[in-house]
Amino acid sequence: VPPSRLLVLIGQALKWQQHQGMLPPGTQFDVFRGTAAAKPDENDEFPTKSTHQIKFGKKSHAECAAFSPDGQYLVSGSIDGFVEVWDHETGKLRKDLKYQANEDLMMHEEAVLSLAWSKDSELLATADQGGKIKVWKVRTGQCARRFDKAHSQGITCLCFSRDSTQICSASYDATMRMHGLKSGKMLKEMRGHSSYINHCSYTTDGLRLVSAGSDGWVKVWDPKTAENLHSFRPNPAGAEIPVNCVCMLPKSDHILVCDRSSTAYVMTIQGQVVKTISSGKKTGGDFLSACVSRMGTWLYCIAEDQTMYVFSIRDSKLEHLVRIHDKEPIGLCQHPHRNLVATYADDCSLKLWRS
């Protein structure tokens, strides 16, 4: 077959995808990766305006959401058990995925509380209220692995190891566990928290795990030995304030700790406070979750007053306030290449915000 025939066929296929709205006009397409080449935004700017709103059913809302590391997909897990893949450019369900076009969605029998992507954006791990984990191939919607009894209670957070061979899960049962994708077995268990674990994350180098608990402790672990290396409470008084999440700062050894107060902390992995970032609001403005902008310039904190607070991490100044939802926000996530943030709340909506 002459090579020109193949180029004509590829060209026709891309035209058809554009016609169907799967490829925005003018988009460059990477034939070898089978995806549109995402052009990153040059500057790290904070979002100020809502561009799209995804509405869930009256009795449903997103409990978790995350962009894929390649920036192609936005996935949400909802209280009714559905796992849905969205187009963040249009705010619509991705119908180029055959299983979604056929309304054969990825799903759990119980509320989906957490999800995580593998580094290559091929696998998606989702976990539910009953302590079950499923691992999906996103392109096909096929369930590649199940851990039916990963925990005895709901799973609050998931993260893949750097080589994507293991999944770490944190739970309401106050434990963290490592699961092998090949073996389908639990490999390690980490105990030390006395209450719910709200968040877990690998450090940037992938050598340590950090957990955040409702008991007010942040703990640092060696994932190979399950040994607890450091434990600290971020607030200066050492009070038992639940820690919502721990974010890794890009190009830095520091971590960002957000607890249920109007203050967040930049800390070393050993527990030393480097910087304090506060909204100054005494009551009614406690932070519920946080994330760091893709280049580490901004800190986005969502609070119980339905507001997103934008801070400059360099000088700890409050730069901007955005009213984001009509009811209490649940979480947020940052796009890996764009100045784009997704927020979701109890008001049955997921909103996309751009700079």
Side-chain angles (χ1 to χ4, degrees), residues 182-235:
K182 281 202 175 95
S183 67
K185 294 187 173 131
M186 186 184 85
L187 307 173
K188 295 264 183 322
E189 183 178 75
M190 285 156 268
R191 288 180 174 271
H193 284 281
S194 58
S195 185
Y196 305 155
I197 302 176
N198 297 318
H199 194 240
C200 63
S201 179
Y202 276 92
T203 52
T204 314
D205 57 15
L207 300 177
R208 299 283 180 261
L209 270 166
V210 187
S211 61
S214 283
D215 54 6
W217 289 99
V218 174
K219 291 181 180 284
V220 181
W221 309 82
D222 183 335
K224 287 186 175 164
T225 62
E227 183 189 352
N228 181 200
L229 304 173
H230 308 287
S231 297
F232 49 89
R233 280 184 166 154
N235 65 84

Side-chain angles (χ1 to χ4, degrees), residues 234-236 255-257 259 261 263-267 273 275-277:
N235 65 84
I255 59 174
L256 195 130
V257 180
D259 66 11
S261 70
T263 304
Y265 306 88
V266 177
M267 306 184 77
V273 176
K275 203 174 283 185
T276 302
I277 299 172

Side-chain angles (χ1 to χ4, degrees), residues 81 83 106-117 123-137 142-160 165-171 173 175-181 184-188 200:
V83 178
M106 299 182 281
M107 70 174 298
H108 283 249
E109 293 72 37
E110 297 185 61
V112 179
L113 301 185
S114 54
L115 53 83
W117 286 94
L123 297 175
L124 175 75
T126 56
D128 66 27
Q129 182 83 48
K132 191 180 291 179
I133 299 173
K134 293 184 181 183
V135 182
W136 310 87
K137 291 183 177 173
Q142 176 197 352
C143 184
R145 172 68 73 195
R146 297 166 67 108
F147 300 88
D148 285 332
K149 292 177 181 168
H151 286 272
S152 59
Q153 293 178 43
I155 297 170
T156 55
C157 193
L158 293 170
C159 53
F160 274 89
T165 60
Q166 297 176 11
I167 296 170
C168 176
S169 59
S171 169
D173 66 12
T175 68
M176 280 204 310
R177 291 175 177 171
M178 303 292 296
H179 312 272
L181 267 182
K185 294 187 173 131
M186 186 184 85
L187 307 173
K188 295 264 183 322
C200 63

Side-chain angles (χ1 to χ4, degrees), residues 13-25 27 29 35-36 72 87 89-90 93-98 101:
L14 293 176
K15 270 186 186 164
W16 171 249
Q17 283 199 310
Q18 270 188 352
H19 177 65
Q20 291 291 301
M22 297 170 192
L23 268 184
T27 305
F29 193 83
T35 57
Q72 292 290 321
D87 183 342
E89 297 285 353
T90 62
L93 209 61
R94 291 279 297 250
K95 293 294 178 76
D96 55 327
L97 298 168
K98 198 179 276 186

Side-chain angles (χ1 to χ4, degrees), residues 266 275 277 296-299 311-317 319:
V266 177
K275 203 174 283 185
I277 299 172
T297 312
W298 312 107
L299 168 64
F311 297 95
S312 161
I313 293 177
R314 192 180 64 189
D315 57 19
S316 306
K317 267 172 58 182
E319 293 283 340

